[in-house]
Amino acid sequence: MQNREQWGSKLGFILAASGSAVGLGNIWKYPHMAGENGGGAFTIVYLICILVVGLPIVIAEFVIGRKTQLSPVGAFETVAPKSNWKWVGMLGVASAFVILSFYGVVGGWTLKYTLISLTGGFSQLAGDPEASGTLFDSFIKGALAPILWQIVFMGFTIFVIVQGVKGGIEKWTKIMMPAILVILVVLMIRGLTLPNGTQALDFLFKPKFEDLTASSIVLALGHSFFTLSLGMGTMITYGSYLRKDQNLLSSALWIIFLDTLIAMMAGVAIFATVFAMGADPGAGPGLIFVVLPTIFPKIVGGAIWGTLFFFLLFMAALTSAISILEVITAYFIDEKGWGREKAIIIFGSVVTVVGAFCSLSMGAFNITSFMDISFFDVLDYLSSKYMLPIGGMLTALFVLYRWGVPNFITEMVLGMDDHNINPAVVRILFMVSAAVVGFILLNEIIATITGTPIIG
Ligand code: PHE
């Protein structure tokens, strides 16, 4: 066996893992979810979910990956040989296929919109949501154009991963993550200095608990898995390229901090612009692709801000897509002995083809949709509502009941100066995390079967 690839530096690992976490979930999904679910109230629940459920599972994934130096399937198999736990790893690889199929499609849209903005295309849309809606609809429902953009996006993803862990993933995320932060700061300042822009702060951070419904709690929980790239072994895979000197607790805290900070900054930048221009904050998933293009041209230098924004979204999506494809790649390298290039080219192509069907299901051909929802929505729904939470919950149960908390702590403290970790506290944290997810899953399943959830 060849030597396993390693990250080049501690910072490189933190940036790569936060690059995975920061993506469409932060900049596209979080703002519209907050917009539709009472702003501040949603934000508070989201933060609680991230800390209570997300943090323990991020650490668990890092520890499992670093301990075994293997991607998910091999990792579970090593700690629990000849058991069914490897299926948790398999579920992760399956989730990677599912998520990347639709993620690549939206990744393509971000490229297309960067280009539209760059070439001044938003100027005809100023203040005209209808025209903007028509443009967006006719683009995503087209047969050829969105698939071509998806292929370009997947091409970038493959281009980075083929260069390896340190020479590809780490090198490129080290450039893109700081760029994302700088662009967001610029856009946030631009938004907040527009008249009425500061209303965004009230909207996002002032909790109005009367707006909080049970279904928004369910939504916030599912989203906390998606946004932290949890429950499918992404963080196990990234953790498997670590040496024992990395402090996993502080790394996890950094990643959660950066992921949350970027979601909040994106929310402020977007809503400041929306309020300043009197647009509708509750516009839903179209907030970014439909509403923003109508308001950028009304601001001085709008084409620049628009281009920066969509380019930022593209980079964020790319650093996440890279981590998803790496899960699939690492599986074929570790378990099937394939070379990196072969694994990436073959499975990068497979995912692109499945993704093309996703794109077609937006409207070009209806053959791939069933039950009134498109194939695209099926994949999105399946992964965020079921696959990731199930994977995350099983990972917590794995540490609790199979690997054992003491063994887990022995690996976790390597690289930490201060070893004061209380096993009872760790156990409680994992139990709470698994129980919350278990309850929400049960609630979803009951809601799907009977039509009436316990809460929601
Ligand atoms: N965390 C990414 C985002 O917020 C999505 C993702 C999910 C990436 C699962 C990897 C694994 O967009």
Side-chain angles (χ1 to χ4, degrees):
M1 209 179 114
Q2 315 141 296
N3 277 339
R4 191 170 190 76
E5 287 190 75
Q6 298 281 340
W7 301 110
S9 67
K10 293 185 180 180
L11 178 70
F13 163 70
I14 291 177
L15 289 179
S18 39
S20 168
V22 172
L24 296 168
N26 304 60
I27 301 163
W28 177 46
K29 281 189 164 182
Y30 163 73
H32 84 68
M33 283 177 165
E36 290 168 310
N37 291 281
F42 181 83
T43 301
I44 294 213
V45 180
Y46 168 80
L47 292 176
I48 295 174
C49 289
I50 295 269
L51 279 177
V52 173
V53 180
L55 181 63
I57 299 178
V58 178
I59 299 175
E61 291 205 13
F62 283 162
V63 175
I64 295 171
R66 187 180 66 180
K67 164 81 190 165
T68 58
Q69 300 279 299
L70 285 170
S71 52
V73 177
F76 284 103
E77 181 64 20
T78 307
V79 180
K82 308 225 177 346
S83 70
N84 280 324
W85 285 104
K86 64 171 176 300
W87 291 102
V88 182
M90 294 301 260
L91 177 70
V93 178
S95 308
F97 272 103
V98 169
I99 295 179
L100 194 49
S101 302
F102 69 83
Y103 212 85
V105 174
V106 184
W109 300 352
T110 65
L111 275 171
K112 166 76 178 177
Y113 269 68
T114 307
L115 192 73
I116 300 183
S117 180
L118 190 66
T119 52
F122 289 163
S123 55
Q124 301 109 298
L125 308 177
D128 189 349
E130 216 161 296
S132 181
T134 312
L135 174 83
F136 181 59
D137 253 30
S138 64
F139 167 62
I140 65 167
K141 291 186 175 159
L144 207 59
I147 295 185
L148 287 178
W149 286 106
Q150 180 223 357
I151 293 175
V152 176
F153 179 83
M154 290 302 297
F156 277 112
T157 311
I158 291 171
F159 167 79
V160 171
I161 306 196
V162 155
Q163 301 167 55
V165 173
K166 185 173 154 197
I169 304 178
E170 181 171 352
K171 177 176 132 196
W172 287 99
T173 40
K174 260 171 131 169
I175 300 171
M176 287 191 277
M177 283 306 285
I180 289 172
L181 261 173
V182 172
I183 297 179
L184 259 184
V185 170
V186 172
L187 287 174
M188 203 172 69
I189 295 174
R190 171 71 272 196
L192 287 174
T193 49
L194 293 170
N196 293 331
T198 46
Q199 280 180 14
L201 299 176
D202 262 6
F203 178 71
L204 275 177
F205 301 115
K206 208 177 197 174
K208 297 174 287 294
F209 286 101
E210 64 276 14
D211 290 340
L212 196 63
T213 62
S215 72
S216 50
I217 301 178
V218 175
L219 205 65
L221 183 90
H223 186 59
S224 58
F225 276 92
F226 187 84
T227 192
L228 292 173
S229 311
L230 290 183
M232 56 163 263
T234 320
M235 297 305 179
I236 296 184
T237 307
Y238 274 18
S240 75
Y241 304 127
L242 279 176
R243 281 186 219 96
K244 303 288 182 193
D245 60 353
Q246 186 100 13
N247 182 332
L248 296 180
L249 177 62
S250 75
S251 304
L253 287 170
W254 265 110
I255 287 148
I256 287 188
F257 170 73
L258 282 172
D259 187 71
T260 310
L261 177 76
I262 290 182
M264 302 296 133
M265 284 170 66
V268 171
I270 291 166
F271 286 117
T273 320
V274 165
F275 281 115
M277 298 298 159
D280 173 18
L287 185 63
I288 279 186
F289 290 102
V290 177
V291 178
L292 289 185
T294 66
I295 48 190
F296 280 131
K298 296 205 272 179
I299 313 172
V300 185
I304 302 172
W305 309 120
T307 309
L308 278 178
F309 178 80
F310 283 101
F311 188 62
L312 153 91
L313 192 58
F314 158 68
M315 287 192 293
L318 181 60
T319 52
S320 299
I322 288 169
S323 71
I324 308 177
L325 188 55
E326 181 62 18
V327 169
I328 303 174
T329 306
Y331 168 71
F332 284 94
I333 297 178
D334 291 343
E335 300 305 308
K336 307 282 172 205
W338 289 23
R340 174 168 281 274
E341 260 164 54
K342 178 177 161 192
I344 292 167
I345 308 281
I346 293 188
F347 287 97
S349 310
V350 171
V351 175
T352 309
V353 172
V354 180
F357 281 100
C358 246
S359 177
L360 291 174
S361 82
M362 301 302 294
F365 292 113
N366 256 323
I367 37 163
T368 48
S369 64
F370 58 92
M371 300 192 315
D372 290 339
I373 71 173
S374 65
F375 184 47
F376 181 102
D377 290 333
V378 170
L379 297 188
D380 182 9
Y381 183 87
L382 201 70
S383 54
S384 347
K385 282 215 157 140
Y386 293 103
M387 297 174 89
L388 299 183
I390 290 175
M393 181 183 70
L394 290 173
T395 306
L397 293 176
F398 175 78
V399 173
L400 279 170
Y401 301 112
R402 174 70 212 222
W403 194 17
V405 170
N407 294 332
F408 165 82
I409 293 178
T410 309
E411 172 71 29
M412 178 184 165
V413 296
L414 301 177
M416 287 171 62
D417 300 330
D418 191 357
H419 291 198
N420 238 338
I421 299 208
N422 182 335
V425 173
V426 172
R427 193 165 287 124
I428 290 171
L429 290 176
F430 279 119
M431 281 177 172
V432 170
S433 176
V436 172
V437 184
F439 176 72
I440 301 293
L441 276 168
L442 191 69
N443 187 56
E444 266 312 304
I445 293 168
I446 291 177
T448 313
I449 298 172
T450 66
T452 22
I454 312 170
I455 59 162

